[in-house]
Amino acid sequence: MPLTKLPNKIINKYKKWKIDSFVNNKATYEKLASEGQSPIAMIISCCDSRVHATSMFGAEIGEFFIHRNIANLIPPYNPDGDHHGTSAAIEFAICTLKVSHIIILGHSNCGGIKNGYHLCKGDQVNEELLFVNKWLHILKPAYDMLEQSADEKKMISTLEKQSIINSIQNLSEFPFIQKALSSNEISIHGLWNNIGTGELEMLNQKSMLFESL
Ligand SMILES: [Zn+2]
């Protein structure tokens, strides 16, 4: 058997939560356990530990259906019978939970976007990362939209936002999303969080520019 010691720090955090937060909200937990969930929105954010959507939006238990993946990407619609975790999460949120909003939450200093940038550019990347590299190819159409600049840092930052636009375009190709959009059952939002300043920018879907909230 491999070592399975859960760090004490994590165990202690759990115990503190159980006697503190859980006890104070016991009735809410019991209600959600018996009645099921009905979240108001789905959030698709990066796996990055610095992206703290529940804290940022002051989320209570049951409010957000959250899916995280590397670089908060939505892949193209592709019903090929393969394993598509992100598409499955979106399908469940829309078709079963009937969420009203989908929020794609990008962020600054995203390592996934940076790696994807170099991958799309044809730079040397870590070829051992089979799954990561395959996944980040989703960025190619967004990368191709970038204006060339000598300032590579700026291009990578722009790609963080351009990829959100590309994800919204991919999302709109899913038949159940098209159906929900045409009957005004859902709205889609693109957000970008600056980790260091706490700033949040929202995509204006007319101008296709990100504006501070
Ligand atoms: Zn990231």
Side-chain angles (χ1 to χ4, degrees):
M1 281 286 283
L3 291 173
T4 55
K5 177 97 177 77
L6 191 61
N8 281 335
K9 187 178 178 182
I10 294 177
I11 294 170
N12 292 337
K13 275 180 177 283
Y14 160 70
K15 288 182 174 171
K16 188 174 182 309
W17 168 83
K18 184 74 194 304
I19 57 169
D20 189 357
S21 179
F22 179 78
V23 167
N24 290 335
N25 296 286
K26 201 167 181 294
T28 306
Y29 281 90
E30 284 172 353
K31 188 169 184 285
L32 285 165
S34 62
E35 294 179 5
Q37 60 171 328
S38 57
I40 55 170
M42 175 180 197
I43 297 176
I44 296 162
S45 70
C46 186
C47 298
D48 193 310
S49 58
R50 299 165 299 176
V51 180
H52 205 347
T54 49
S55 173
M56 196 192 307
F57 298 123
E60 303 292 337
I61 180 177
E63 276 190 323
F64 294 112
F65 185 74
I66 301 178
H67 176 75
R68 301 177 76 137
N69 65 39
I70 289 186
N72 44 268
L73 302 177
I74 295 177
Y77 175 67
N78 185 10
D80 61 1
D82 216 332
H83 300 100
H84 295 289
T86 296
S87 303
I90 296 166
E91 184 180 53
F92 188 72
I94 298 299
C95 301
T96 302
L97 296 177
K98 310 278 184 197
V99 300
S100 304
H101 302 275
I102 299 183
I103 296 167
I104 302 169
L105 176 61
H107 70 102
S108 66
N109 314 93
C110 180
I113 296 285
K114 188 179 175 187
N115 279 8
Y117 170 86
H118 289 295
L119 191 82
C120 294
K121 193 182 167 196
D123 289 343
Q124 190 76 30
V125 294
N126 185 347
E127 289 175 9
E128 287 179 9
L129 296 177
L130 295 179
F131 296 105
V132 173
N133 291 341
K134 170 86 173 156
W135 176 249
L136 291 174
H137 269 114
I138 295 171
L139 279 167
K140 189 67 167 67
Y143 173 85
D144 289 341
M145 294 286 288
L146 292 177
E147 273 182 42
Q148 290 302 312
S149 161
D151 187 348
E152 196 158 61
K153 218 173 163 185
K154 191 176 164 212
M155 285 183 74
I156 293 170
S157 175
T158 304
L159 184 58
E160 288 169 355
K161 295 177 182 175
Q162 190 61 45
S163 77
I164 294 171
I165 295 171
N166 189 56
S167 281
I168 291 175
Q169 283 163 351
N170 284 343
L171 191 56
S172 64
E173 287 167 13
F174 285 69
F176 53 83
I177 294 287
Q178 288 174 354
K179 191 164 169 258
L181 282 172
S182 66
S183 53
N184 291 321
E185 287 169 25
I186 59 161
S187 57
I188 298 168
H189 314 274
L191 298 175
W192 178 87
N193 172 225
N194 186 319
I195 300 284
T197 66
E199 193 180 8
L200 191 62
E201 296 184 13
M202 185 168 73
L203 176 67
N204 178 328
Q205 295 189 42
K206 284 188 179 144
S207 67
M208 300 312 277
L209 297 171
F210 281 79
E211 300 166 350
S212 290
L213 282 182

